[in-house]
Amino acid sequence: MTLQDRTERASVGKTGRQLIIEQFLADGMKFMFGNPGTVEQGFLDALEEYPEFQYVLTMQETIAVAMADGYARATNGPALVQLHSGVGLGNGVGMLYQAMRGHAPLVVVAGESGVQYDAMDAQMAADLVAIARPVTKYATRVVDPASLLRVLRRAVKIATTPPTGPVFVALPMDVLDAVIQDEVVPSTRVRSRVTPASDDLEQAATLLAGASRPVVLMGDGITFSGAHGELARVAELLGAPVYGVNSSEINMPSSHPLYGGTTGHMFGEDSQRLLKDHDAALIVGTYVFPEVFPLLSGAFAPNTRLVHVDLNAYEMGKNFPVELALLGDPKSTLAALGDLVATRQNDEDRASAAARSRAFSDAKRAKTEAIIAHDFTHRDDVPLRMSRFMDELSSRLPEGAVIVDEALTSSPEITRYLPDLEPGQFLQTRGGSLGIGIPGALGAKLAHPDREVIGFTGDGGSMYTIQALWTAAHHDIGAKFVICNNQSYKLLKLNIAQYWRERGLPAHEFPKSFDLHDPIVDFAALSRSMGVPAEKVETPEQVGPAIERMLASDGPYLIDLVLSKDL
């Protein structure tokens, strides 16, 4: 039967454009984040038949992907994105890279005019699968109606199977217009709570328990697995400091005595300084190392013994040789490893671990107190310091609030003044794509409508996706937004200063392209023009009242926080 024959029988059965909605609902996806186009008009029209399914309208494809990323992270489940043909997919590629690096299980679909037009090479014709493949875990195109639901179920299964990640399916219009005789059933979900063999775990426990200066390097695999308690127990048994590597969630609370922050983001030397004195490292739920300029060698001290636990075999031993690479779920593996470490420790081992813990905790406490004391000396500065805003917010933040952090150079103050956030309360940008702050907060708010959600972003990053404010007003999504406005790409200034030092170049004026003024963007006016109430905060006296007005608002609200340009 031809596509035309199936289309002509539309009156006696359901078409692909209807069944894909039912398939998405069967897989628990009730939101579609998208921007409409002509080649998707058939299934967008069919959405009106399904009131339980909501289309979230965005003004640009990057925003659709970023909202879905925030939603997927907040729910720890799949999120659905609709892009418009090749041009829309191209617009979304940068944010899809973010989702791929962060392992967000996005199911991305894009329409095409039809299989029957393949030979015409007409307007908007493009190889969508080739465009999507570098930034997705799986990319394909449906060319026969009989395979439509099968392919979608396969895509959902791949997206949600660890290591999770975005997938892409191209949907030609004539495939969706055809009548399909297929049953809608939920997609297969692979259970991955697997644990390495006992002999391998015993080797790992012996190696780690015998170390005199162990360290733990962890990432978002901890949150994906729910291994927070198991991670803390192993670290405490070993007396090992814990550093986040590609860590953008609350994998260990900042207030934990053994949490040391994150390793380098930009330069490998920053990670090396943290690791040079350790003789054993447990790497779990991440890879080493994610810096933009990582060290090609010497990241660890000579003869450091490495144990790597993950569900992503590709990442183990990818850049540095690993003595024990254990394929396993972090939660179940760390639970078993903790038991084995405990049985191998004698009184002397436990005393040594306790001494290491005390020494690290004391040093951490002294460092934090010194930084906060320094913050206090700038409490009344104008232009404002981020520490003043966060100090005032911390005393007013509702319990269970969710923070979406794309503040970059202002991020240290966010984590410093909110040290007790629990898993699920903090979602930091990852992957390097700018623009996640506002739409990511909207996605998180849709996932948690009863919780306060605040998105922090910079003046530069916000302009990548500022149209998301219109979506907030249009759908009445009550997330809050703080623009950390230092009128510059401050991170670039810090990085080029490092570049000058490394190459022995004298400091001089920063490139003019790093400044964002002349004209200065009026974010409050821009926000109000898209229907979101907003105000500018420039002095210490304005901070507290502005925060209270923001938190009292039932709908979306924006604060344009004017900060110091000082490095």
Side-chain angles (χ1 to χ4, degrees):
M1 183 180 293
T2 66
L3 288 172
Q4 183 177 357
D5 292 333
R6 287 191 174 96
T7 302
E8 290 173 354
R9 290 184 53 190
S11 60
V12 297
K14 289 187 177 180
T15 62
R17 62 181 181 269
Q18 297 167 305
L19 290 176
I20 63 170
I21 307 304
E22 297 181 15
Q23 182 64 56
F24 296 144
L25 287 170
D27 285 321
M29 293 182 283
K30 62 180 182 179
F31 293 108
M32 174 182 279
F33 303 93
N35 180 261
T38 301
V39 294
E40 295 87 19
Q41 60 191 2
F43 73 82
L44 295 177
D45 185 44
L47 293 179
E48 304 302 321
E49 303 173 32
Y50 300 91
E52 68 273 38
F53 191 90
Q54 183 178 354
Y55 186 85
V56 180
L57 177 60
T58 69
M59 301 294 279
Q60 209 263 5
E61 289 84 359
T62 302
I63 298 167
V65 179
M67 285 189 70
D69 185 273
Y71 183 86
R73 295 180 68 178
T75 60
N76 206 16
L80 179 62
V81 181
Q82 171 265 317
L83 304 178
H84 173 46
S85 193
V87 291
L89 175 58
N91 285 340
V93 160
M95 200 57 71
L96 278 173
Y97 178 84
Q98 174 108 344
M100 180 188 70
R101 280 293 183 183
H103 297 288
L106 307 188
V107 179
V108 183
V109 298
E112 291 184 334
S113 58
V115 175
Q116 61 185 313
Y117 302 117
D118 276 4
M120 302 302 292
D121 191 27
Q123 181 171 305
M124 291 174 48
D127 188 343
L128 302 190
V129 173
I131 296 172
R133 187 173 286 123
V135 291
T136 55
K137 187 180 176 185
Y138 171 73
T140 191
R141 182 187 190 221
V142 181
V143 296
D144 185 84
S147 297
L148 175 61
L149 298 188
R150 178 182 295 110
V151 170
L152 287 177
R153 286 192 289 267
R154 181 185 304 157
V156 173
K157 183 201 73 171
I158 293 172
T160 56
T161 300
T164 58
V167 297
F168 173 79
V169 182
L171 300 174
M173 182 181 285
D174 46 10
V175 170
L176 296 182
D177 284 342
V179 172
I180 296 175
Q181 305 300 326
D182 196 1
E183 183 181 0
V184 172
V185 295
S187 300
T188 299
R189 299 296 177 91
V190 177
R191 301 185 183 186
S192 57
R193 190 74 81 189
V194 295
T195 308
S198 57
D199 289 349
D200 295 329
L201 286 169
E202 288 173 1
Q203 288 185 54
T206 300
L207 186 159
L208 293 168
S212 59
R213 300 180 307 280
V215 64
V216 178
L217 304 175
M218 59 75 181
D220 289 341
I222 297 297
T223 288
F224 297 154
S225 174
H228 306 87
E230 292 77 8
L231 170 70
R233 179 181 179 232
V234 169
E236 290 161 6
L237 285 168
L238 295 173
V242 179
Y243 296 103
V245 183
N246 206 37
S247 175
S248 61
E249 310 264 351
I250 300 294
N251 298 306
M252 175 178 270
S254 297
S255 58
H256 192 285
L258 289 173
Y259 180 66
T262 58
T263 60
H265 162 69
M266 191 64 59
F267 304 102
E269 290 81 3
D270 294 332
S271 298
Q272 184 187 52
R273 280 191 289 272
L274 298 174
L275 304 175
K276 62 183 177 63
D277 296 326
H278 296 283
D279 60 349
L282 170 62
I283 307 165
V284 57
T286 190
Y287 69 100
V288 291
F289 284 98
E291 303 101 348
V292 177
F293 302 104
L295 292 179
L296 300 180
S297 63
F300 295 95
N303 303 317
T304 299
R305 306 180 73 182
L306 305 181
V307 177
H308 198 156
V309 175
D310 208 340
L311 282 169
N312 190 348
Y314 170 76
E315 298 293 1
M316 294 190 286
K318 181 176 74 173
N319 294 318
F320 303 98
V322 172
E323 185 169 340
L324 284 173
L326 306 181
L327 186 67
D329 173 75
K331 184 178 179 68
S332 60
T333 302
L334 288 175
L337 190 60
D339 291 342
L340 292 170
V341 168
T343 62
R344 278 160 173 72
Q345 289 180 317
N346 56 32
D347 290 342
E348 183 180 352
D349 294 331
R350 286 187 283 273
S352 296
R356 289 194 294 269
S357 295
R358 283 194 301 273
F360 186 85
S361 177
D362 290 346
K364 174 185 174 180
R365 185 185 308 109
K367 180 180 178 181
T368 301
E369 289 174 353
I371 293 173
I372 290 177
H374 180 265
D375 287 345
F376 190 79
T377 65
H378 294 282
R379 181 175 175 80
D380 295 324
D381 282 7
V382 178
L384 287 164
R385 300 296 180 120
M386 187 66 180
S387 55
R388 174 62 182 261
F389 184 87
M390 290 309 305
D391 184 35
E392 300 239 18
L393 176 64
S394 65
S395 63
R396 296 171 169 86
L397 193 68
E399 184 176 357
V402 177
I403 302 297
V404 177
D405 174 25
E406 193 196 22
L408 300 181
T409 53
S410 294
S411 293
E413 287 87 348
I414 295 175
T415 54
R416 184 154 67 242
Y417 286 89
L418 299 176
D420 297 318
L421 295 178
E422 296 291 330
Q425 285 189 267
F426 182 75
L427 309 174
Q428 193 171 50
T429 184
R430 56 194 183 187
S433 302
L434 287 176
I436 193 72
I438 296 175
L442 293 176
K445 182 64 175 178
L446 285 175
H448 298 299
D450 298 327
R451 298 168 72 174
E452 196 70 78
V453 176
I454 304 176
F456 289 85
T457 185
D459 47 339
S462 67
M463 290 301 292
Y464 282 67
T465 53
I466 198 70
Q467 310 97 307
L469 294 173
W470 182 91
T471 297
H474 180 71
H475 290 285
D476 194 23
I477 304 171
K480 310 303 190 290
F481 317 102
V482 178
I483 307 290
C484 302
N485 183 359
N486 52 36
Q487 298 173 22
S488 67
Y489 290 123
K490 185 176 179 180
L491 183 60
L492 296 185
K493 292 182 177 181
L494 292 170
N495 290 343
I496 201 170
Q498 173 81 358
Y499 174 85
W500 292 336
R501 288 191 295 268
E502 289 179 351
R503 286 154 177 79
L505 300 173
H508 50 276
E509 287 189 9
F510 294 112
K512 293 182 176 59
S513 57
F514 290 4
D515 287 318
L516 301 176
H517 54 73
D518 192 21
I520 294 173
V521 177
D522 188 338
F523 287 100
L526 189 57
S527 178
R528 289 191 291 268
S529 76
M530 287 184 274
V532 174
E535 61 181 291
K536 180 180 290 188
V537 173
E538 299 178 276
T539 66
E541 296 75 19
Q542 295 172 329
V543 172
I547 291 173
E548 291 175 0
R549 283 189 290 271
M550 177 181 73
L551 295 177
S553 173
D554 291 331
Y557 198 94
L558 181 142
I559 290 178
D560 177 7
L561 183 64
V562 181
L563 297 174
S564 170
K565 301 178 185 178
D566 293 348
L567 298 186

